[in-house]
Amino acid sequence: RTVAVTAGGTATTQFDVSCTGLTGDLKIVSVTSGNNLDDAYTVSVDGGTAQPLAANDSIVVAGLAVGDHDVELGDLAGTCTVAGDNPRTVAVTAGGEVRTQFDVSC
């Protein structure tokens, strides 16, 4: 922008800046193997409302704030176990899709 300044004077201008938080997407995958397979689970992010997740399927949680998020696979049959941490921390990065996979053995 052009601002006129007079000799010996002071000119003022203003810039209005609006910022939004950076976000990314989280793809959550379930891979189930073994006998007597569990057909469906739930998954929650940061202790929020659990969403259904079928066995051997995936869902995408879009628009998460950049940073670490706790992801938990729930409603497992008593004969099934998850490999690795559950819940686990997943780092979401800006503008892309991060993936975490829960390997379930029944």
Side-chain angles (χ1 to χ4, degrees), residues 1-15:
R1 79 180 37 168
T2 302
V3 178
V5 179
T6 58
T10 301
T12 302
T13 190
Q14 178 177 324
F15 291 93

Side-chain angles (χ1 to χ4, degrees), residues 74-90:
D75 287 340
L76 283 91
T79 57
C80 298
T81 57
V82 177
D85 293 336
N86 185 34
R88 65 183 57 164
T89 301
V90 180

Side-chain angles (χ1 to χ4, degrees), residues 9-30:
T10 301
T12 302
T13 190
Q14 178 177 324
F15 291 93
D16 294 321
V17 178
S18 176
C19 299
T20 59
L22 298 175
T23 62
D25 299 340
L26 173 60
K27 183 174 188 173
I28 305 165
V29 180
S30 70

